[in-house]
């Protein structure tokens, strides 16, 4: 889901689309028990685009959205994000 103003996303698919476009400024990952390859992949993608990564101990909105979200460098264009998500 894209947050108000388009400067943030929450949930894995929207965050992954933003990462694909290089739009993520800061990736948020909810702290979880044990290894999680999907989260590790997202973190690697963030680092590859010079985005920061922050592990959050507890946040209700983030938890409800699967523990993944991001602040963006510029507003997300939903049309472009959807196309990118479908290509990946």
């Amino acid at each position: 889901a894209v947050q108000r103003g388009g400067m943030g996303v929450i949930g894995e698919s929207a965050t992954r689309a933003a990462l694909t476009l290089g739009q993520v400024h800061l990736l948020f990952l909810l702290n979880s028990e044990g290894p999680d390859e999907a989260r590790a992949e997202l973190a690697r993608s963030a680092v590859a685009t010079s985005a920061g990564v922050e592990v959050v101990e507890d946040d209700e909105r983030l938890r409800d959205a699967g523990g993944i979200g991001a602040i963006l460098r510029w507003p997300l264009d939903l049309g472009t994000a959807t196309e990118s998500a479908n290509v990946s």
Side-chain angles (χ1 to χ4, degrees), residues 32-86:
S32 63
E33 298 294 322
D36 183 338
E37 186 55 39
R39 290 171 193 264
E41 178 188 340
L42 291 170
R44 284 191 296 272
S45 294
V47 170
T49 61
S50 300
V53 178
E54 185 171 325
V55 176
V56 178
E57 288 304 316
D58 190 33
D59 181 273
E60 185 177 343
R61 280 183 63 194
L62 201 57
R63 185 176 53 246
D64 291 346
I68 300 168
I71 293 174
L72 304 179
R73 293 180 170 128
W74 65 88
L76 184 65
D77 177 344
L78 289 177
T80 304
T82 302
E83 292 170 16
S84 295
N86 290 335

Side-chain angles (χ1 to χ4, degrees), residues 14-29:
T15 303
R16 190 175 296 279
L19 278 166
T20 299
L21 296 170
Q23 286 182 273
V24 173
H25 173 69
L26 182 59
L27 174 68
F28 294 106
L29 299 173

